[in-house]
């Protein structure tokens, strides 16, 4: 933490903190439009700002003002990427406030995910108005692939129909994709920033339990069941495509959480067996890339079958939850 007796608040604040805050927001704006690097910008920007905020002892308005002002100016100058940058600043502010208030880590991450969701809701009229434009861009993007398939002798009419269905599905599940991005940014920034603060032995950090012990509440399974029922009902009823899409979006978001729980179960078995780290990383990468259904099912089944306790019993040791 920077204190007055360590060089003076005025010097450290205006000489280091303000330029650093502005630079982090600016760097995030440069990374957001770039493929692959936009993920680094989306998580790294609020994580870096969170670290900067937590190192300071000034009042909240003093801590947040430089980054918030930069984000607000960016939103006015370049509404697209600027609004996203402003959302990331607000995410960092919520992380800083939640950690300082000593809130539970799940609540902190959930609250920090809200800005992108709110931004998306505000932008819904735009998405609806730009529906035809988005579809045209998607068709243009898929045109080379369609031409390649046509050169292989596939029916052009069938390809166009398949492309239209794919685009309709993409547009229909857009809400769940936005929710997943929001969750990824909120919790990703929390984990990254908190890990760094722990390394520095900072007094302002959260105690996040080991990944192998993460477990969803039992009642969460009803979100998955409800989503499946709504999806099936919408598919069976003519003209209820919107209802089916609502159910499908619920299933997709719930599946993400159960994918994480399934990974935690597998990770626990890796810990018991002393599996090499390179194999764990490879396994997690493949699972996340393919969204392996078996891992999702494993996470759901643990509501009734305590896999980790059974594995611990077979190994002759107590679970981490029991310690």
């Amino acid at each position: 933490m920077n204190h007055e007796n360590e060089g003076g608040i005025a010097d450290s604040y205006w000489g280091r903190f303000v330029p650093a805050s502005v630079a982090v927001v600016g760097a995030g704006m440069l990374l957001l439009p770039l493929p692959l690097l936009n993920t680094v910008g989306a998580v790294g920007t609020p994580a870096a700002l969170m670290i900067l905020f937590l190192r300071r002892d000034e009042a909240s308005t003093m801590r947040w003002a430089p980054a918030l002002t930069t984000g607000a100016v960016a939103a006015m100058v370049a509404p697209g990427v600027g609004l996203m940058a402003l959302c990331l600043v607000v995410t960092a502010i919520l992380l800083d406030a939640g950690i300082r208030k000593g809130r539970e880590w799940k609540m902190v991450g959930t609250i920090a995910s809200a800005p992108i969701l709110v931004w998306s809701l505000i932008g819904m009229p735009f998405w609806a108005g730009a529906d035809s434009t988005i579809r045209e861009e998607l068709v243009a993007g898929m045109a080379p692939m369609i031409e390649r398939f046509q050169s292989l002798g596939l029916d052009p009419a069938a390809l166009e129909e398949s492309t239209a269905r794919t685009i309709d599905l993409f547009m229909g599940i857009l809400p769940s994709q936005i929710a997943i991005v929001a969750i990824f940014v909120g919790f990703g920034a929390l984990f990254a920033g908190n890990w760094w603060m722990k390394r520095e032995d900072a007094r302002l950090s959260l105690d996040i339990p080991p990944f192998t012990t993460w477990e969803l509440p039992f009642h969460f399974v009803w979100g998955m069941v409800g989503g499946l029922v709504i999806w099936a009902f919408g598919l069976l009823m003519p003209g209820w495509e919107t209802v089916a899409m609502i159910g499908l979006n619920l299933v997709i978001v719930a599946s993400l959480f159960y994918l994480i729980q399934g990974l935690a179960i597998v990770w626990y078995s890796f810990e018991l067996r002393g599996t090499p780290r390179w194999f764990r990383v490879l396994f997690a990468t493949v699972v996340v890339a393919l969204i392996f259904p078996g891992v999702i099912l494993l996470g759901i089944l643990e509501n009734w079958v305590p896999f980790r306790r059974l594995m611990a019993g077979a190994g002759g040791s107590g679970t981490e939850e029991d310690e």
Side-chain angles (χ1 to χ4, degrees):
M1 305 287 288
N2 290 320
H3 297 280
E4 194 168 0
N5 59 6
E6 293 177 351
I9 287 294
D11 177 65
S12 62
Y13 181 82
W14 293 104
R16 292 195 296 270
F17 176 72
V18 172
S21 299
V22 174
V24 168
V25 178
M29 287 185 63
L30 292 175
L31 292 175
L32 287 175
L34 303 177
L36 300 179
L37 291 178
N38 51 18
T39 302
V40 177
V43 174
T45 300
L49 288 174
M50 165 188 157
I51 294 167
L52 287 173
F53 294 159
L54 291 174
R55 286 174 175 169
R56 305 298 302 185
D57 284 335
E58 290 90 0
S60 58
T61 52
M62 292 285 286
R63 293 196 308 274
W64 303 338
L68 198 57
T69 302
T70 305
V73 172
M76 290 186 287
V77 175
V81 70
L83 280 172
M84 183 62 179
L86 181 60
C87 286
L88 298 179
V89 172
V90 177
T91 295
I93 289 172
L94 294 174
L95 290 170
D96 176 49
I99 291 174
R100 287 178 184 272
K101 292 178 181 178
R103 288 179 174 154
E104 199 263 344
W105 69 275
K106 295 176 188 173
M107 180 179 293
V108 174
T110 301
I111 293 173
S113 302
I116 293 180
L117 286 175
V118 172
W119 172 63
S120 301
L121 288 173
I122 293 174
M124 279 300 175
F126 164 79
W127 291 109
D131 182 87
S132 59
T133 304
I134 295 171
R135 288 175 182 274
E136 289 174 4
E137 292 178 355
L138 289 172
V139 170
M142 297 176 70
M145 183 176 64
I146 295 173
E147 291 176 2
R148 194 172 296 115
F149 283 131
Q150 286 178 346
S151 66
L152 296 175
L154 297 179
D155 183 11
L159 281 173
E160 289 181 7
E161 184 180 350
S162 176
T163 301
R165 286 200 302 267
T166 302
I167 292 173
D168 287 340
L169 178 61
F170 174 81
M171 297 297 293
I173 64 173
L174 195 57
S176 64
Q177 307 311 301
I178 292 171
I180 289 172
V181 169
I183 294 166
F184 175 75
V185 170
F187 281 92
L190 171 63
F191 295 148
N194 195 66
W195 172 79
W196 188 263
M197 295 300 287
K198 283 281 189 182
R199 283 192 59 183
E200 294 185 345
D201 293 324
R203 62 180 177 84
L204 287 173
S205 58
L206 294 177
D207 290 323
I208 299 176
F211 178 56
T212 52
T213 66
W214 289 8
E215 186 175 358
L216 292 169
F218 176 79
H219 61 262
F220 196 87
V221 74
W222 297 116
M224 174 66 85
V225 172
L228 288 169
V229 170
I230 294 172
W231 184 21
F233 188 75
L235 290 175
L236 293 173
M237 299 293 291
W240 285 50
E241 290 81 5
T242 302
V243 174
M245 281 299 169
I246 292 173
L248 180 58
N249 280 284
L250 289 173
V251 169
I252 291 173
V253 174
S255 296
L256 168 70
F257 287 102
Y258 279 114
L259 174 67
I260 294 171
Q261 178 155 310
L263 274 173
I265 297 168
V266 176
W267 220 260
Y268 185 75
S269 71
F270 288 162
E271 289 288 337
L272 290 180
R273 293 171 174 78
T275 304
R277 186 174 296 274
W278 68 265
F279 182 82
R280 302 184 193 191
V281 174
L282 177 62
F283 176 84
T285 303
V286 171
V287 167
V288 172
L290 300 178
I291 313 297
F292 190 58
V295 180
I296 297 173
L297 182 61
L298 187 65
I300 295 173
L301 288 177
E302 202 185 35
N303 286 296
W304 298 276
V305 183
F307 293 112
R308 281 171 275 194
R309 290 189 179 88
L310 292 174
M311 285 188 285
S317 61
T319 64
E320 291 180 71
E321 294 104 322
D322 295 332
E323 293 177 359

